[in-house]
Amino acid sequence: MMEIKQAILAADRINRPGIDNPCQYITIHNTGNFKAGAHAAAHAAWLQTVNELVSWHYTVDDMEIYQHLPDDETAYHAGDGSGDGNRKSIAIEICVNADGNLLAATENAARLAARLCRKHNISLENIVQHHHWSGKNCPAQLRGNEPYSWEMFLSKVAAELQELPKAWALQAADWSIAQNIIRGDGMSYNWQQPVSREELAVILYRFKNSLFFTEKL
Ligand SMILES: [Zn+2]
């Protein structure tokens, strides 16, 4: 899982209502912004200044993920007023910028959605399209089978969920990555695979060398 860059809106922003979100759903959007440079960082900057009731939790492009609001706060993205879309879901916007790679952006969104499912115990059936809440043709690309179908997107999330640490291990897994104690093979961390004795030796050796351990000494 790539780093999630934090660009949390200031508490007094008009587009940060600060209402509790029970995190029962994940809502998927495509940004609809095809301009070159309309990537995740650009949307993060825009949300900081826009004076409208528009906001969401994450923007994902082919390279980066930005978070704009805490998961457990509501946002204005679903077009359903005070309905369950705005009030009970975590919103992910997938970038469609002309200078980006839609396939890679969508794959990143599937990984993020899986992680949020695991973290908040959200079922696959509760990953929904913006369309589900308001009838808008969004996520327009996924609804038009770009880069693949909605069903394929959900199957990617399901596959990623198989691979992810269980909820009880998630914090420890994040810590071990941050400490550089557990490293992936570039594609995967193989969380559900057994550890060989040589791998265990390397893990212990990295632990000995980790900042955490030396500080305690
Ligand atoms: Zn949308």
Side-chain angles (χ1 to χ4, degrees), residues 27-29 53-56 74-89 91 93 128-138:
T27 302
I28 304 295
H29 305 258
L53 298 183
V54 56
S55 53
W56 57 89
T74 64
Y76 299 111
H77 60 91
D80 68 342
S82 56
D84 287 357
N86 279 340
R87 291 292 177 89
K88 296 184 179 178
S89 79
E93 286 276 3
V128 299
Q129 304 178 1
H130 180 182
H131 178 268
H132 173 79
W133 303 116
S134 70
K136 183 179 176 181
N137 183 31
C138 179

Side-chain angles (χ1 to χ4, degrees), residues 4-199:
I4 297 173
K5 299 194 170 174
Q6 298 295 299
I8 303 295
L9 301 174
D12 61 354
R13 292 282 305 146
I14 186 175
N15 52 350
R16 183 175 176 182
I19 301 167
D20 285 346
N21 176 6
C23 303
Q24 291 178 6
Y25 301 90
I26 294 169
T27 302
I28 304 295
H29 305 258
N30 282 123
T31 61
N33 190 341
F34 300 98
K35 285 182 291 194
H39 43 48
H43 284 88
W46 182 76
L47 280 175
Q48 306 273 5
T49 57
V50 67
N51 284 313
E52 296 170 41
L53 298 183
V54 56
S55 53
W56 57 89
H57 297 83
Y58 298 90
T59 309
V60 180
D61 65 23
D62 53 343
M63 308 285 284
E64 296 185 308
I65 300 174
Y66 274 83
Q67 182 171 9
H68 319 292
L69 287 170
D71 294 352
D72 59 1
E73 291 188 23
T74 64
Y76 299 111
H77 60 91
D80 68 342
S82 56
D84 287 357
N86 279 340
R87 291 292 177 89
K88 296 184 179 178
S89 79
I90 302 171
I92 300 174
E93 286 276 3
I94 305 171
C95 289
V96 297
N97 48 307
D99 54 345
N101 180 322
L102 183 63
L103 175 61
T106 307
E107 302 272 88
N108 286 337
R111 286 190 204 101
L112 174 61
R115 192 181 173 79
L116 293 170
C117 281
R118 180 58 41 83
K119 187 172 182 181
H120 299 292
N121 198 24
I122 299 168
S123 66
L124 270 186
E125 301 78 65
N126 283 12
I127 301 178
V128 299
Q129 304 178 1
H130 180 182
H131 178 268
H132 173 79
W133 303 116
S134 70
K136 183 179 176 181
N137 183 31
C138 179
Q141 277 60 48
L142 273 171
R143 288 173 58 76
N145 299 321
E146 288 182 68
Y148 39 65
S149 69
W150 176 250
E151 290 69 30
M152 177 66 82
F153 178 78
L154 292 180
S155 73
K156 300 250 178 190
V157 178
E160 183 70 15
L161 268 171
Q162 295 286 325
E163 167 65 23
L164 275 178
K166 303 293 189 295
W168 52 266
L170 205 51
Q171 190 177 1
D174 285 347
W175 177 87
S176 64
I177 292 171
Q179 294 294 327
N180 214 14
I181 293 167
I182 303 278
R183 296 176 199 167
D185 60 14
M187 294 294 291
S188 169
Y189 287 96
N190 297 310
W191 288 113
Q192 304 308 331
Q193 298 304 312
V195 178
S196 68
R197 291 159 70 107
E198 62 182 1
E199 287 170 332

